[in-house]
Amino acid sequence: MNVRKKYRRFVCSLLLFGIFALALCGMAVFRNMTLAESQIESSASVAERKKVYVGGTPIGIYLETDGVFVVDTGTILAEDGSACCPAENIVQSGDYIQAVNGEAVNTKEELIACILKSDGEALTMDVDRQGEQIRLKVVPVRDSDGEYKAGIWVRNDTQGIGTLTYIDEEGYFGALGHGISDVDTAELLSIQNGTLYDAEVVSVVKGESGSPGELSGIIHYSDSYQIGIIEENSENGIFGRVTGFSLAIEDQTLYETALRQEVELGAASILCTVDGTCQEYEVEIKEIRLNGSDVNKGMVIEVTDPALLEKTGGIVQGMSGSPILQNGRLIGAVTHVFVNDPTKGYGIFIENMLEN
């Protein structure tokens, strides 16, 4: 019996020791996890949050493409009365014609001049096609008016009105919250350079279901009204450097920017100019899409401010880039309007814009 009791005590001691050892291991793991978390929190608190001056003011945008942008090819009536398309299946929509016979072309006027003086001889065109440099040959045809044509529809610049989103402490700006694409092809324009001008809103076309409204304004195209140089046109917006930095930020307040994980459903506000002055209007964040494939549609917002609904009906064209504020921070910018419900639209997280 004594032997059995001793054996039982020995087994119980082993079990108790095992339990105690496991408890100590668990405490050690928990302590290490807590320490790691505190270190992460400490690192995050040390990292300085990005601060920017918020916009909300209208801007005039002028872009020059990197070459002559091809919209499409078309048919021309030749001198002999036949219909032909010299560039069909050679030049493609979305191409950028950058040189003809080794001579650089930057405008459609320069391209037309090269075609007119071709005398019907084949033209060698250096083209950028989706980032690939290729060389094509097009033979112009004399049309019914006796002029040489190539049957290429082109565009070399674009302009419009949008809204400034922010200026950072180094003098760089971000605007629109989405890229500028060709109206006919929907291709994101590859730009050679661009300019930001001062603009003013003179009238508002109120948005209705099925018919988006718009801000109509005047762009002051002169050096004295130039406020920035556009350096990049990306899917996240247009970006560049402001001119006259000190004047641009005069009387402006620095705002902290928020991470996308800090955006919350519920009350927020937007800054925009619809009647001559930049004002803050109430909106509501209805949906947050942290893992969405379209960065321009990271959140769904709804205009709730009676004053803005009365003036515009909600979100209208020209308000793209309007800063979205929440909890005293800049969280994003307005990008699109719902065609069937102008009170609602999409926004991009400011984190995505700052990546540029």
Side-chain angles (χ1 to χ4, degrees), residues 28-284:
V29 171
F30 177 76
R31 181 177 178 277
N32 289 337
M33 289 176 63
T34 305
L35 180 61
E37 289 174 355
S38 66
Q39 287 174 341
I40 291 172
E41 290 175 0
S42 176
S43 298
S45 63
V46 170
E48 187 175 352
R49 186 182 293 273
K50 180 82 171 179
K51 293 182 180 180
V52 297
Y53 300 95
V54 297
T57 53
I59 50 174
I61 301 162
Y62 183 84
L63 295 180
E64 292 183 11
T65 57
D66 187 12
V68 183
F69 181 74
V70 176
V71 178
D72 205 351
T73 57
T75 302
I76 61 175
L77 185 63
E79 193 174 36
D80 61 5
S82 63
C84 62
C85 184
E88 188 175 20
N89 299 323
I90 302 174
V91 178
Q92 296 181 8
S93 174
D95 285 349
Y96 290 87
I97 302 173
Q98 298 178 326
V100 177
N101 290 343
E103 181 181 345
V105 292
N106 296 306
T107 68
K108 60 184 178 182
E109 290 77 16
E110 292 174 347
L111 176 62
I112 291 171
C114 290
I115 295 171
L116 286 175
K117 67 181 183 182
S118 68
D119 199 28
E121 297 293 327
L123 298 175
T124 300
M125 297 185 177
D126 293 321
V127 171
D128 181 318
R129 179 174 293 170
Q130 296 182 346
E132 181 183 358
Q133 299 297 317
I134 61 176
R135 181 162 288 179
L136 309 172
K137 286 188 179 295
V138 177
V139 181
V141 173
R142 194 194 297 268
D143 70 1
S144 56
D145 295 325
E147 295 184 337
Y148 286 101
K149 300 285 178 66
I152 307 174
W153 305 111
V154 297
R155 183 181 293 116
N156 62 272
D157 55 29
T158 188
Q159 57 258 331
I161 286 182
T163 300
L164 181 69
T165 305
Y166 69 84
I167 301 173
D168 71 15
E169 294 182 273
E170 296 178 349
Y172 290 97
F173 72 84
L176 296 189
H178 62 74
I180 297 177
S181 300
D182 181 74
V183 295
D184 295 307
T185 67
E187 293 276 345
L188 186 71
L189 292 175
S190 175
I191 66 169
Q192 184 178 50
N193 54 61
T195 309
L196 218 59
Y197 292 97
D198 186 27
E200 58 182 300
V201 176
V202 295
S203 65
V204 178
V205 177
K206 199 170 181 178
E208 299 177 353
S209 178
S211 178
E214 66 175 338
L215 301 179
S216 298
I218 297 174
I219 302 174
H220 302 286
Y221 291 115
S222 67
D223 291 343
S224 59
Y225 286 97
Q226 180 180 316
I227 58 176
I229 302 299
I230 302 170
E231 298 174 341
E232 182 180 2
N233 176 37
S234 80
E235 63 177 0
N236 296 355
I238 58 172
F239 303 90
R241 180 181 285 275
V242 297
T243 52
F245 176 59
S246 59
L247 182 62
I249 63 169
E250 189 176 11
D251 300 325
Q252 299 297 311
T253 303
L254 277 171
Y255 279 75
E256 288 186 339
T257 58
L259 301 175
R260 70 189 75 188
Q261 292 85 354
E262 296 174 317
V263 178
E264 303 172 353
L265 295 175
S269 62
I270 63 172
L271 294 173
C272 60
T273 304
V274 296
D275 57 3
T277 57
C278 181
Q279 296 186 41
E280 188 171 358
Y281 298 97
E282 295 175 353
V283 299
E284 186 174 347

